[in-house]
């Protein structure tokens, strides 16, 4: 017969901490604590397999479970010296959930199981405390009614029969808390609670302890599938198939008098990582009182030593023993019953990014772990480094905003950080306001952003858009600039003409304050205080490293990460953000989107667009050449001897001139007509010619350079003239010229020819040569499938997973917002495919691309430069399939460095 029940108690256990999958975290650790000699009330754990069986079989249990539960119960009775249901010496039990990963508060718990009219009398005799016994009884009936019989109110509007009765009782005697009710009142409440159960659940409150126990076990297993738990699992990527274990354990009481207490504690502070035991406790209380918020708990580190010096000393010792044993900060639950300390739970504590870094580094310095262990992803999820790199909201100020109901809406958390500022709707206004006052805090609020908005985005503290997903223009530019961004916030109704943004009943005007949380996607009405990132202040030279303890630990951690990773990490950066990229550890530029450099020179680009003859186009392009050369020179200089991948012009030309631009600026049409000596109708005609029904699949990428080779020639010339110029100054640089959106080998060859011919010409003119490579983005499926052919000519590959996802999934990166939330909520996709590589589909194309490319060119250098390059899960995948580097927006570089180390250490 399979084993479903695992017992623990009296220093023995038939499981240990390694069996989390089967016993859940709580069960496995209760067993482990027994084994290392800590005081744990005896009990037994029903495994997660029982939960899976229960939920798959309509509440049925596997064969043999009943006998095993009875055996577990017998062992508990023997160790605790009491008997379940006994009228003289009753054992009371608790029944708690416990999954493989902790899901705090999501599932159910029942305490004081085994109480009925007989056992309550025995409990009075035994404890000599009538109040305690009746209070325990009423708590049990209430929990049983709520959890097992489903009377717990689901929303604010549902009646809470039990609490109503308690309220009335409190009111009638004018006391604040039920601990101050009289014994007679408690007896009366017990009777009324039983009547509530009969009336509202339609059954008698069960007096048989075994029936009570099975009811509770079923309720705990059933709570795995409650809505809260399902939503939580979805958010944290916990599979529904894991199931929870159920822990049945002897009750110990923290509410037997003033020599009793109960509490929760941490072996170190998990907000900032400061060493030292801390937590919350209450004298003369049961565990639920501490977490329920009905009484304000006291701080362990402040007053527990005075209240109970012996228990405090023992807890501190236990804390040390646990940290030494688990090699990590622990989150514990304890009860002191008549001076004796009991441990009810221990688990690795959840912590903020700040605390994670500090604790990992401190534990190495204390000799508890080595650097490899410190880097584990369960200790520091790479994404959590964000918290050290971005401004954050002052936690108290954010909490106050939540309490004041100032949360307005929620969108996609596209650019991490916290920003508070005055609303501005137009980029040009943002720029003008900022020029007047450089300290002005602005939030650019747009339906969506376009390249035209770039300058406004630069001066804004944060960006908020109503449309667009995780790889929309707003999202990727914000990330690259390191700006806080919330996009796709479709509850926003923006009226540019009226200068208002409406959310429900709230109407905000230009100049009103708004706050956006780019970590969570939350948007708040009004101002919330923020503080700057200490790490960034040091990296950007605004603060001394000696005055920055957080920076020192960050730096140490990054050193360790760099030692172990094998993937290189580059930045998606242009001139402006390249310095930050280098400061953050970029080992090169993996993607310089040259079109971003064009947006400062729209007049020249538009002149090119209006040119009908190649020679006119060349003339217009000649005006752009010096600007591009200067930009590249600056970029090469900043990167020094690191490689720089420059991608040739990619977006369709209507991104530089469209009806949208004409609409936003009514003077544009007449201005262009005058400038180019054509009629306004001719301007409009050209704008219409450029329009595309499906722009992402239209005349863009290398298709532009093929039809207009002058563009490729100008850009190549700018690159090589910049490189040669620097070489003459004694500065080496390594340009890698990248062709966008090639799908046919012939497309690549066509562009490579122009690039190489231009290089040869420039080298001859300049009298110097530089090393360079010509390669291609792999961003449409055909390129991945024919990578072996393309690699015959291409010297490197870079996966453009934004477009590769878009084209492989046939899912527009700008229009998927409308359904992706629904898809995720309904488990149709496991994650947003534009944030995390869809490994089974897009990932398969990537593997084919890598294998194909390297079958032709063994040492082909391959990277990724889509937004996924900074996503830890995708970084793991890139490591696994053998890429040479990932490239991501500058602020994600540390995250990618850490994720790359974790991937290397994991494999
Ligand atoms: C990509 O498609 O992944 C990419 C990096 O190019 P862009 O986002 O500029 O289209
Ligand atoms: Mg692309």
């Amino acid at each position: 017969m399979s084993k479903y029940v695992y017992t623990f108690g009296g220093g023995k256990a038939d499981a240990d901490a390694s069996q989390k999958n089967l016993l859940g975290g709580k069960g496995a650790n209760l067993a482990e604590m027994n084994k290392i000699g800590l005081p744990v009330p005896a009990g037994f754990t029903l495994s997660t397999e029982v939960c899976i069986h229960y939920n798959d079989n309509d509440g049925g249990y596997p064969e043999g479970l009943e006998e095993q539960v009875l055996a577990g119960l017998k062992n508990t009775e023997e160790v605790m010296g009491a008997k379940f249901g006994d009228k003289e010496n009753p054992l009371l039990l608790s029944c708690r959930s416990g999954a493989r990963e902790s899901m705090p508060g999501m599932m159910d718990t029942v305490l004081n199981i085994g109480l009925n009219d007989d056992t309550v009398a025995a409990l009075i005799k035994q404890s000599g405390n009538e109040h305690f016994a009746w209070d325990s009884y009423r708590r049990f009936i209430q929990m049983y009614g709520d959890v097992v019989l489903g009377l717990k109110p689901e929303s604010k509007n549902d009646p809470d029969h039990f609490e109503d009765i308690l309220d009335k009782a409190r009111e009638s005697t004018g006391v604040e808390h039920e601990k101050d009710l009289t014994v007679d009142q408690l007896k009366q409440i017990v009777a009324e609670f039983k009547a509530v159960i009969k009336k509202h659940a339609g059954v008698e409150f069960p007096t048989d302890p075994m029936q009570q126990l099975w009811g509770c076990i079923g309720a705990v297993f059933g709570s795995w599938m409650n809505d809260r738990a399902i939503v939580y699992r979805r958010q944290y990527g916990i599979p529904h198939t894991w199931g929870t274990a159920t822990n049945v354990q002897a009750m110990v009481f923290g509410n037997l008098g003033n020599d009793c207490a109960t509490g929760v504690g941490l072996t170190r502070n998990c907000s900032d990582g400061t060493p030292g035991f801390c937590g919350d406790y209450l004298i003369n209380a049961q565990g639920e009182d501490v977490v329920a918020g009905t009484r304000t708990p006291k701080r362990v580190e402040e007053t527990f030593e005075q209240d109970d010096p012996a228990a405090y000393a023992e807890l501190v010792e236990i804390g040390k023993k646990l940290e030494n044993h688990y090699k990590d900060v622990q989150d514990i639950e304890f009860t002191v019953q008549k001076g004796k300390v009991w441990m009810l739970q221990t688990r690795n504590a959840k912590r903020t990014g700040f605390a994670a870094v500090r604790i990992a580094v401190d534990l190495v310095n204390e000799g508890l772990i080595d650097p490899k262990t410190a880097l584990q992803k369960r200790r520091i999820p790479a994404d959590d480094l964000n918290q050290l790199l971005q401004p954050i909201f002052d936690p108290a100020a954010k909490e106050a905003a939540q309490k004041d109901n100032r949360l307005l809406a929620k969108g996609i958390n596209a650019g991490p950080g916290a920003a508070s500022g005055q609303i501005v709707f137009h980029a040009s206004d943002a720029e003008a306001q900022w020029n007047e006052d450089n300290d002005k805090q602005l939030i650019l609020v747009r339906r969506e952003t376009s390249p035209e908005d770039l300058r406004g985005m630069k001066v804004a503290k944060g960006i908020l858009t109503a449309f667009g997903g995780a790889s929309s223009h707003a999202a990727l530019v914000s990330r690259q600039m390191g700006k806080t961004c919330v996009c796709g916030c479709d509850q926003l109704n923006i009226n540019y003409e009226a200068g208002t943004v409406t959310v429900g009943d709230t109407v905000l005007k230009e100049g009103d304050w708004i706050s956006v949380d780019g970590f969570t996607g939350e948007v708040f009405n009004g101002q919330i205080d923020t503080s700057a990132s200490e790490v960034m202040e040091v990296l950007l030279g605004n603060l001394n490293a000696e005055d920055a303890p957080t920076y020192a630990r960050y730096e140490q951690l990054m050193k360790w990460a760099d030692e172990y990773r094998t993937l290189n990490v580059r930045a998606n950066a242009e001139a402006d953000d390249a310095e930050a990229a280098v400061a953050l550890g970029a080992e090169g530029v993996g993607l310089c989107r040259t079109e971003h450099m064009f947006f400062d020179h729209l007049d020249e680009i538009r002149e090119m667009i209006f040119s009908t003859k190649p020679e006119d186009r060349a003339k217009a392009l000649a005006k752009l050449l010096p600007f591009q050369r200067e930009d590249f020179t600056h970029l090469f200089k900043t990167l020094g001897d690191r490689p720089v991948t420059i991608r040739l012009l990619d977006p369709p030309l209507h991104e530089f001139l469209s009806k949208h631009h004409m609409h936003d600026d009514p003077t544009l049409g007449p201005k262009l007509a005058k400038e180019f000596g054509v009629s306004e109708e001719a301007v409009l005609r050209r704008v219409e010619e450029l329009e595309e029904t499906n722009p992402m699949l239209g005349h863009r990428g290398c298709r532009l350079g093929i039809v207009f080779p002058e563009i490729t020639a100008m850009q190549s010339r700018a690159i090589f003239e910049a490189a040669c110029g620097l070489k003459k100054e004694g500065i080496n640089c390594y340009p890698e010229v990248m062709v966008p959106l090639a799908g046919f080998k012939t497309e690549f060859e066509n562009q490579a020819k122009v690039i190489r011919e231009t290089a040869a010409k420039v080298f001859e003119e300049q009298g110097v040569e530089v090393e360079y490579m010509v390669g291609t983005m792999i961003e449409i499926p055909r390129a991945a499938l024919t990578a072996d052919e393309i690699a015959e000519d291409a010297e490197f590959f870079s996966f453009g997973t934004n477009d590769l996802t878009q084209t492989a999934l046939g899912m527009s990166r700008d229009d998927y917002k409308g359904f992706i939330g629904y898809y995720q909520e309904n488990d149709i996709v496991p994650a947003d495919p534009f944030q995390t590589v869809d490994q089974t589909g897009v990932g398969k194309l990537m593997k084919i691309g890598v294998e194909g490319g390297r079958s032709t060119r063994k040492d082909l250098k391959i990277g990724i430069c889509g937004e996924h390059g900074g996503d830890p899960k995708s970084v793991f995948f890139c490591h696994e399939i053998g890429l040479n580097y990932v490239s991501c927006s500058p602020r994600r570089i540390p995250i990618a460095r850490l994720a790359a180390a974790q991937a290397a250490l994991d494999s």
Side-chain angles (χ1 to χ4, degrees):
M1 200 200 306
S2 302
K3 184 170 171 66
Y4 297 114
V5 173
Y6 296 77
T7 60
F8 54 84
K12 285 195 219 137
D14 42 53
D16 61 38
S18 67
Q19 286 163 286
K20 280 203 179 79
N21 296 1
L22 198 62
L23 279 85
K26 189 192 289 266
N29 285 328
L30 283 170
E32 186 79 14
M33 282 200 289
N34 254 288
K35 288 197 155 162
I36 61 170
L38 294 184
V40 177
F44 53 93
T45 304
L46 287 76
S47 76
T48 51
E49 287 174 349
V50 183
C51 180
I52 295 160
H53 186 101
Y54 181 89
N55 285 313
D56 283 354
N57 293 276
D58 247 351
Y61 291 113
E63 225 185 286
L65 183 74
E66 200 172 333
E67 295 93 271
Q68 293 186 31
V69 165
L70 288 175
L73 183 57
K74 190 155 174 273
N75 184 63
T76 310
E77 289 174 336
E78 279 167 14
V79 176
M80 298 307 287
K83 212 165 161 20
F84 190 51
D86 194 84
K87 291 180 188 165
E88 298 293 324
N89 181 22
L91 171 74
L92 300 187
L93 297 172
S94 65
C95 190
R96 295 180 165 94
S97 59
R100 195 186 299 188
E101 289 219 359
S102 103
M103 295 168 48
M106 296 300 128
M107 292 180 287
D108 288 327
T109 290
V110 188
L111 305 177
N112 304 333
I113 306 164
L115 278 176
N116 56 29
D117 293 352
D118 295 329
T119 50
V120 77
L123 193 62
I124 294 169
K125 240 201 261 167
Q126 235 181 8
S127 64
N129 186 335
E130 220 180 340
H131 189 282
F132 152 74
W134 283 103
D135 187 48
S136 301
Y137 196 14
R138 76 94 195 149
R139 286 174 192 254
F140 174 48
I141 302 172
Q142 184 170 0
M143 279 193 179
Y144 196 90
D146 278 344
V147 171
V148 183
L149 302 174
L151 297 181
K152 184 155 50 188
E154 275 171 17
S155 78
K156 266 196 274 181
N157 303 328
D158 291 345
D160 190 335
H161 306 293
F162 298 119
E163 284 302 321
D164 289 347
I165 291 170
L166 285 173
D167 280 347
K168 271 196 209 120
R170 277 189 294 250
E171 264 167 39
S172 71
T173 27
V175 298
E176 243 183 69
H177 195 269
E178 53 273 15
K179 77 178 165 44
D180 301 316
L181 296 172
T182 64
V183 170
D184 282 344
Q185 277 181 308
L186 288 169
K187 282 185 192 169
Q188 174 65 25
I189 288 168
V190 162
E192 286 180 35
F193 276 12
K194 286 183 188 167
V196 162
I197 287 187
K198 182 143 192 219
K199 182 163 174 206
H200 295 284
V203 292
E204 292 285 349
F205 168 72
T207 51
D208 172 15
M210 276 321 283
Q211 189 188 342
Q212 294 173 352
L213 179 59
W214 281 108
C216 297
I217 291 173
V220 170
F221 280 138
S223 68
W224 175 254
M225 290 310 289
N226 74 28
D227 276 354
R228 257 179 318 167
I230 293 174
V231 169
Y232 184 91
R233 287 199 291 275
R234 214 168 265 141
Q235 183 168 353
Y236 291 97
I238 300 173
H240 301 314
T241 49
W242 282 359
T244 179
T246 293
N247 299 288
V248 178
Q249 193 178 16
M251 285 294 301
V252 284
F253 296 97
N255 54 344
L256 268 172
N258 286 337
D259 52 355
C260 301
T262 188
V264 291
L266 294 166
T267 53
R268 318 185 170 222
N269 181 315
C270 284
S271 299
D272 61 10
T274 320
F277 196 89
C278 56
D280 289 332
Y281 75 103
L282 280 170
I283 296 286
N284 196 13
Q286 221 169 22
E288 52 165 343
D289 300 328
V290 178
V291 285
T294 46
R295 287 166 64 184
T296 310
K298 296 161 95 176
R299 298 293 302 164
V300 171
E301 64 277 24
E302 285 167 10
T303 47
F304 197 42
E305 191 170 12
Q306 283 147 284
D307 281 348
D308 193 338
Y312 176 75
E314 193 176 343
L315 267 181
V316 170
E317 269 320 297
I318 289 175
K320 283 189 192 144
K321 191 165 182 178
L322 283 170
E323 276 201 356
N324 277 326
H325 184 72
Y326 285 97
K327 316 276 185 221
D328 200 0
V329 58
Q330 295 294 296
D331 169 347
I332 65 166
E333 281 178 28
F334 63 91
T335 284
V336 183
Q337 177 174 324
K338 300 233 161 261
K340 176 164 174 54
V341 175
W342 290 99
M343 293 297 296
L344 302 180
Q345 166 154 312
T346 191
R347 61 186 171 200
N348 294 330
K350 295 213 190 287
R351 59 209 85 173
T352 64
F354 295 97
V357 172
R358 170 154 193 181
I359 290 166
V361 174
D362 283 358
L363 289 182
V364 174
N365 293 338
E366 290 167 27
L368 239 58
I369 56 174
D370 59 17
K372 275 190 194 176
T373 312
L375 291 166
Q376 282 172 340
K377 69 170 185 250
R378 76 151 188 83
R379 287 173 189 265
I380 315 176
D383 256 334
D384 287 2
L385 277 187
N386 253 330
Q387 293 172 26
L388 278 75
L389 301 167
Q390 298 290 351
I392 54 163
F393 281 134
D394 168 40
K398 181 171 168 187
E399 209 181 306
Q402 271 156 341
K403 278 206 181 121
D404 291 351
N405 284 327
R406 280 162 51 201
L407 177 64
L408 279 180
K410 209 164 170 200
I412 294 182
N413 47 346
S420 212
Q422 288 173 275
I423 295 173
V424 56
F425 292 107
H426 298 284
S428 48
D429 293 342
E431 216 186 344
Q433 291 185 29
W434 188 82
N435 282 340
E436 242 171 58
D437 173 8
N438 283 187
D439 290 328
K440 189 147 191 184
Q441 286 172 251
L442 296 166
I443 305 287
L444 182 65
V445 180
R446 303 273 315 154
R447 290 200 192 112
E448 74 276 290
T449 62
S450 74
E452 281 268 90
D453 297 320
L454 219 60
R455 291 206 199 136
M457 292 172 81
K458 267 187 199 166
V459 300
K461 287 267 176 267
I463 320 292
L464 172 63
T465 69
F467 306 112
S471 67
S472 63
H473 179 268
L476 63 86
V477 173
S478 300
R479 275 199 290 274
Q480 193 162 329
M481 288 180 177
K483 296 268 172 200
T484 298
C485 173
V486 171
C487 65
C489 190
D490 52 15
Q491 300 104 304
L492 306 185
N493 191 344
I494 299 170
N495 185 334
Y496 291 134
E497 280 76 37
T500 57
V501 50
T502 309
V503 190
D505 297 336
T506 311
V507 183
L508 298 173
K509 298 182 303 303
E510 172 135 354
D512 286 347
W513 282 81
I514 197 167
S515 302
V516 288
D517 188 331
F519 295 114
T520 61
E522 291 164 309
V523 180
F524 291 91
N525 191 352
Q527 192 171 2
I528 303 180
D529 288 343
T530 57
S531 49
S533 148
E534 180 192 298
V535 172
M536 279 313 292
E537 291 289 283
V538 176
L539 290 175
L540 298 175
N542 303 329
L543 181 69
N544 264 335
E546 300 84 67
D547 304 328
T550 306
Y551 171 79
R553 292 185 199 103
Y554 160 85
E555 186 61 8
Q556 174 65 73
L557 188 86
M558 284 294 120
K559 251 196 204 131
W560 291 330
D562 292 345
E563 247 170 63
Y564 291 109
R565 71 188 160 90
T566 52
L567 265 178
N568 283 329
V569 178
R570 297 194 188 187
N572 292 357
E574 286 94 51
D576 281 354
D577 30 22
E579 258 160 66
V582 170
L584 285 157
E587 292 163 306
V589 162
L591 175 64
C592 162
R593 289 181 167 101
T594 49
E595 62 270 20
H596 288 180
M597 297 165 148
F598 279 17
F599 292 124
D600 284 339
H601 308 288
L602 280 174
D603 288 346
E604 290 80 3
I605 281 279
R606 284 173 178 158
E607 185 181 333
M608 179 197 82
I609 290 174
F610 275 93
S611 312
T612 44
K613 291 190 234 117
E615 52 276 23
D616 290 342
R617 232 179 343 262
K619 240 192 262 164
L621 284 165
K623 291 188 190 164
L624 281 166
L625 176 71
F627 297 124
Q628 287 254 286
R629 189 174 50 223
E630 212 175 290
D631 285 340
F632 294 140
T633 305
H634 178 60
L635 184 62
F636 289 145
K637 262 192 185 157
T638 311
L639 268 294
D641 51 11
R642 302 170 184 88
V644 177
T645 307
I646 297 171
R647 184 184 67 186
L648 302 179
L649 188 65
D650 181 46
L653 294 181
H654 55 74
E655 286 211 3
F656 302 101
L657 183 63
S658 66
K659 279 199 176 143
H660 160 80
H661 297 118
M662 314 281 282
H663 177 262
D664 266 12
D665 178 4
T667 64
L668 188 60
K671 190 179 125 201
L672 292 175
K674 193 160 161 231
E675 224 167 285
F676 303 119
V678 293
S679 65
E680 279 188 46
E681 290 74 50
V683 171
L684 211 60
R685 231 182 357 263
R686 184 69 183 126
V687 170
E688 275 164 6
E689 273 166 22
L690 293 173
E691 239 176 59
E692 293 177 326
T693 313
N694 194 345
M696 281 301 185
L697 302 177
H699 196 179
R700 58 168 289 215
C702 64
R703 301 161 197 170
L704 278 174
I706 290 171
V707 176
F708 307 119
E710 310 80 31
I711 300 179
T712 304
M714 182 281 286
Q715 291 200 288
S716 306
R717 175 167 281 279
I719 294 167
F720 295 117
E721 284 184 357
C724 290
L726 287 173
K727 179 133 191 199
K728 286 187 203 162
E729 289 177 34
I731 302 170
N732 280 325
C733 56
Y734 297 92
E736 299 174 345
V737 187
M738 183 155 75
V739 176
L741 215 79
F744 294 89
K745 180 189 173 197
T746 44
E747 286 180 310
F748 176 76
E749 284 170 342
N750 172 296
Q751 289 294 281
K753 185 163 178 282
V754 179
I755 297 162
R756 288 181 183 131
E757 281 174 5
T758 311
K761 245 189 259 168
V762 173
F763 295 161
E764 204 185 319
E765 290 161 15
Q766 302 276 330
V768 284
E769 290 198 8
V770 293
E771 255 180 65
Y772 73 97
M773 286 207 272
V774 186
T776 183
M777 307 266 301
I778 302 287
E779 54 183 342
I780 55 175
R782 194 182 193 284
L785 296 171
T786 59
D788 54 340
E789 283 182 16
I790 294 177
E792 283 167 14
D793 199 21
E795 294 166 285
F796 67 89
F797 283 176
S798 177
F799 285 105
T801 42
N802 301 333
D803 276 310
L804 192 59
T805 301
Q806 168 163 264
T807 47
L809 272 56
M811 194 183 274
S812 161
R813 60 198 262 193
D814 292 314
D815 304 306
Y816 77 117
K817 169 68 191 25
F819 55 87
I820 200 66
Y822 187 91
Y823 267 39
Q824 284 178 266
E825 271 163 32
N826 290 279
D827 298 320
I828 291 175
V829 292
D832 179 338
F834 287 98
Q835 286 187 355
T836 301
V837 169
D838 154 42
Q839 290 186 17
T840 27
V842 175
K844 196 166 181 179
L845 284 169
M846 291 172 73
K847 276 191 207 158
I848 293 171
V850 171
E851 278 160 24
R854 292 208 176 125
S855 71
T856 304
R857 208 181 271 263
K858 205 164 116 281
D859 299 323
L860 185 70
K861 181 153 75 167
I862 308 180
I864 178 176
C865 62
E867 289 305 293
H868 307 84
D871 166 68
K873 269 200 190 127
S874 310
V875 172
F876 267 63
F877 179 69
C878 293
H879 172 89
E880 200 182 297
I881 64 171
L883 298 199
N884 300 89
Y885 68 85
V886 295
S887 186
C888 55
S889 47
R891 298 278 172 142
R892 294 201 72 83
I893 288 170
I895 294 162
R897 284 161 68 193
L898 177 57
Q902 292 172 337
L905 289 170
D906 243 28
S907 51

